[in-house]
Amino acid sequence: AKHAGRGQASCYQSGMLEQIAARHQLEQDIKAAIEQRQFHLAYQPILSLHDDRIVGYEALIRWEHPTRGRVSPAEFIPFAEETGQIVAIGQWVLEEACREAACWADDQHVAVNISPVQFKSPSLRAHIVSALDRSGLPPHRLEIELTETALVADGQALAHILGEIRALGIKVAMDDFGTGYSSFAHLRDFPIDRIKIDRSFVASAVTDSHAMAVLRAITQLGQDMRVPTLAEGVETQEQLELVRRLGCDDVQGYLIGKPERLDTSSISQKKYA
Ligand code: C2E
Ligand code: CA
Ligand code: CA
Ligand code: CA
């Protein structure tokens, strides 16, 4: 049943008239999903290359639709951004991720994706404060992941929001680094605690010397700026050795572990020792 949704989900995007109806249906379905708690979170481990320990987990939303099966976030998140529903979804993700992480046996951080729409909504700070308060999770264990599109527009206002959020004691990672239009300007203009290097660089670096040069340059830049770098999408031993050699601080990818639902008791360092 897990994969039954894949083919069917594409009926959300067929012909013209159908498309309008399907979009309306999807909006209704998301509304129901929020109300009926059809979402859950999967967690993907983040490995530190300094001590080969799992130092955190990225929370990734999963939607088990009652009839369509699993609907990919790559499909419904952009849609929910258009309708504004992402703000309610994002609030739930923050609450749930903090609540679950607070029960983990060890003190790994939890990384939560924040949509650009959510980042620009005036309620974000209150949602973060509420999630931390209600869960009791220490702020230093929460990290938010922003893509560069969150940082486009009024730079000063955004830098201010970012400053307020970091003042809570939580960390901010720049997600999919290198895929935006002005990655370096963003790095210069915004205070950032971690660079997540997009997996497209990692994938091509093994065979393509130009991609390798870019990957090396980003890693070096992180070192010079004293901002830790994380290589995303590490799938092979060869890629792992490469990013280790280049000096990346952390890695994430199918080689280390796929996103999985976690029961609290399974989270401990022992599992990975
Ligand atoms: P992302 O934030 O860049 O998350 C990483 C995506 O890459 C995840 O896909 C993950 O399953 C996948 N991935 C991890 N390791 C590998 C690997 O080694 N190889 C390959 N090919 N893929 C890998 P997923 O879970 O389908 O999420 C897709 C995107 O949806 C995310 O990209 C993120 O932009 C968005 N998303 C997911 N959960 C949330 C959420 O709670 N809130 C928001 N706003 N967006 C979310
Ligand atoms: Ca992410
Ligand atoms: Ca990413
Ligand atoms: Ca992405």
Side-chain angles (χ1 to χ4, degrees), residues 58 113 145 147 175-177 196-199 232 252:
E58 178 176 0
N113 291 285
E145 298 194 356
T147 54
D175 204 357
D176 302 345
F177 185 82
K196 295 192 78 172
I197 306 171
D198 190 71
R199 71 177 151 88
E232 291 195 282
Q252 193 181 340

Side-chain angles (χ1 to χ4, degrees), residues 34-263:
I34 298 168
E35 286 162 3
Q36 297 164 20
R37 307 188 165 275
Q38 292 165 10
F39 298 120
H40 69 265
L41 296 178
Y43 294 90
Q44 186 174 33
I46 294 165
L47 179 77
S48 163
L49 293 179
H50 296 291
D51 53 10
D52 288 315
R53 286 162 75 91
I54 302 299
V55 290
Y57 289 86
E58 178 176 0
L60 294 156
I61 195 167
R62 296 290 177 261
W63 181 12
E64 230 41 84
H65 188 289
T67 55
R68 289 168 206 272
R70 178 166 290 184
V71 185
S72 161
E75 182 173 1
F76 72 86
I77 294 289
F79 183 85
E81 288 173 336
E82 283 177 42
T83 62
Q85 290 169 307
I86 190 66
V87 176
I89 295 173
Q91 181 181 11
W92 176 84
V93 172
L94 273 166
E95 294 272 345
E96 183 73 358
C98 290
R99 193 183 64 78
E100 294 196 295
C103 300
W104 295 346
D106 291 311
D107 63 350
Q108 293 100 343
H109 74 264
V110 63
V112 173
N113 291 285
I114 302 290
S115 145
V117 176
Q118 194 185 356
F119 183 66
K120 287 167 188 168
S121 103
S123 49
L124 178 64
R125 190 177 174 282
H127 290 170
I128 292 173
V129 169
S130 154
L132 290 172
D133 280 355
R134 289 168 57 152
S135 63
L137 187 77
H140 72 266
R141 291 187 51 205
L142 175 62
E143 186 162 305
I144 61 169
E145 298 194 356
L146 295 174
T147 54
E148 293 174 55
T149 41
L151 302 176
V152 178
D154 185 351
Q156 290 217 322
L158 296 178
H160 180 74
I161 304 175
L162 212 52
E164 275 193 339
I165 288 174
R166 288 175 83 242
L168 296 171
I170 71 175
K171 297 205 165 61
V172 176
M174 197 180 284
D175 204 357
D176 302 345
F177 185 82
T179 58
Y181 288 108
S182 42
S183 305
F184 293 103
H186 289 136
L187 209 54
R188 180 195 63 200
D189 297 340
F190 296 102
I192 288 293
D193 302 289
R194 190 194 304 281
I195 296 170
K196 295 192 78 172
I197 306 171
D198 190 71
R199 71 177 151 88
S200 59
F201 296 105
V202 176
S204 48
V206 173
T207 51
D208 176 348
S209 63
H210 286 181
M212 162 83 110
V214 174
L215 187 61
R216 182 186 290 121
I218 297 174
T219 308
Q220 185 62 50
L221 183 68
Q223 285 170 3
D224 292 347
M225 294 183 77
R226 299 186 197 291
V227 178
T229 52
L230 178 153
E232 291 195 282
V234 171
E235 294 181 350
T236 67
Q237 201 64 42
E238 196 182 7
Q239 290 168 351
L240 179 65
E241 290 318 317
L242 174 65
V243 299
R244 196 191 282 277
R245 192 148 36 83
L246 292 179
C248 284
D249 298 277
D250 304 293
V251 291
Q252 193 181 340
Y254 293 163
L255 181 70
I256 316 304
K258 292 199 167 174
E260 274 185 312
R261 199 165 194 159
L262 290 176
D263 79 273

